[in-house]
Amino acid sequence: MVDKWFTSRVNRLLLEATNSLERVEVREYIQKAFYQVLSAIDYYRERVGEDKAICMVKNFLDKWVKVLNPVIPHVTEEIWEWMGGKGFLSTNSWPRIVPESINEEAEVLEDMVKDLIDDLKNVLNVVKPVKGHVYIIVASPWKREVIRMLIEGKSYKEVIKTMREKHGLAGREKEILLVIQQYRRSPDARLALTTAEKEYQVLVEAREYIERRIGLSVDILWEEEAREKNIPKADKAYPLKPGFYIE
């Protein structure tokens, strides 16, 4: 999924940079085309390693140098020649970047990983772990279903009734209401772009990276698994905002 994130992120930035240049928003164009693309490359390299990052950058290098040509023409012309490009870069057509190359789901899920690491590091600045271990807890799929029903305009009564009957949550109405209240406080349409299964998959794939960044061993658990293990605060897990317990 991180490969999809990188491809999507770079294409989004190049498309936004193109739009900024057309509006003569030069500062915004430079920020996106140069600095933010470099930032995406740095993050991706940290995630997957130098060799794979170089291979992926080669896939969009021709587009990138074309988009950067108006602001650093001499450097981009040299790169173009090194790449074996024909003619002058400045006389080549502007790269076509289609919106279909942008993967919203991949970007949302990778942003979740980055936010989770920031949250963990902030807590670790205050709390000293005893066992050097953290449980990361993925919210139960029914919580996303609650949110989708709210987005569709269903009433609280309909939502609670469905959760009781479909997911056997009779007696857990307070938990359903807490999810409803949390979404009402901070509505986020991005939640509808993802699934609990994809969230879990992305975190499992990112586990080693998370361990490197925070210096602790990591287990990824579903909320129900964590409940069975009596892990504190398991019920606090929320879609795109995994719970965690440090020990």
Side-chain angles (χ1 to χ4, degrees), residues 7-72:
T7 300
S8 178
R9 180 66 175 157
V10 170
N11 277 301
R12 179 190 295 278
L13 289 170
L14 295 181
L15 181 60
E16 291 177 352
T18 298
N19 294 337
S20 294
L21 189 60
E22 289 173 351
R23 295 191 297 266
V24 201
E25 297 170 351
V26 179
R27 179 173 180 154
E28 191 72 14
Y29 152 71
I30 293 171
Q31 281 289 332
K32 292 181 182 297
F34 187 68
Y35 294 106
Q36 291 185 30
V37 171
L38 279 179
S39 177
I41 292 170
D42 286 342
Y43 176 79
Y44 183 70
R45 182 172 57 235
E46 186 179 41
R47 278 282 267 123
V48 303
E50 189 79 24
D51 292 342
K52 187 172 181 180
I54 290 171
C55 290
M56 286 292 284
V57 169
K58 287 179 180 177
N59 291 337
F60 70 86
L61 188 57
D62 61 333
K63 290 182 183 179
W64 193 24
V65 295
K66 287 177 181 178
V67 172
L68 285 172
N69 185 251
V71 70
I72 45 174

Side-chain angles (χ1 to χ4, degrees), residues 135 137 140 172 221-235:
Y135 293 101
I137 303 160
S140 295
R172 294 172 62 179
L221 299 176
W222 284 105
E223 180 180 334
E224 301 304 330
E225 285 184 275
R227 284 171 174 269
E228 290 174 7
K229 294 176 181 288
N230 295 318
I231 294 171
K233 300 181 180 179
D235 60 325

